[in-house]
Amino acid sequence: MNGRHSPAGAPRPKRDAANSTDATDTTDATDRDDARIARLKKLALWIFLALCVVFIAWVAWGFVQFDQDIDNPREGGFSGWRCDAGKDCGS
């Protein structure tokens, strides 16, 4: 071992100076389109993940509220489902 590391990926192809100034070469536009698509995909992924977190928090909050309603049935008008039909559970 000589202390040198191998590169992480395959080497990139070198650009020819003549090709980069050619007006008919569409690789720059294609690269920009690919970069834009990649950026949009990344943004869509982050938005989806944020929506998942919000949904999980909303469901968890609903479970907490439901548990509180089960523990305290006389508060908030939630007692009706635990009573027999036609009886008042509040008394």
Side-chain angles (χ1 to χ4, degrees):
M1 297 220 136
N2 58 6
R4 295 183 182 202
H5 299 283
S6 62
R12 295 182 179 178
K14 294 182 180 181
R15 291 187 175 206
D16 188 16
N19 286 342
S20 65
T21 58
D22 188 10
T24 60
D25 190 15
T26 60
T27 57
D28 290 336
T30 305
D31 290 341
R32 281 192 304 252
D33 290 342
D34 290 344
R36 183 177 296 142
I37 290 171
R39 222 177 6 248
L40 286 174
K41 284 183 180 179
K42 191 179 224 183
L43 180 65
L45 175 68
W46 281 108
I47 289 172
F48 177 73
L49 290 175
L51 287 174
C52 287
V53 169
V54 168
F55 177 74
I56 290 170
W58 179 62
V59 169
W61 178 255
F63 280 131
V64 168
Q65 293 299 315
F66 184 71
D67 185 49
Q68 183 180 2
D69 289 341
I70 294 284
D71 290 341
N72 305 308
R74 293 188 178 151
E75 297 174 5
F78 190 67
S79 62
W81 71 278
R82 296 176 73 178
C83 297
D84 292 331
K87 289 188 177 180
D88 184 21
C89 290
S91 54

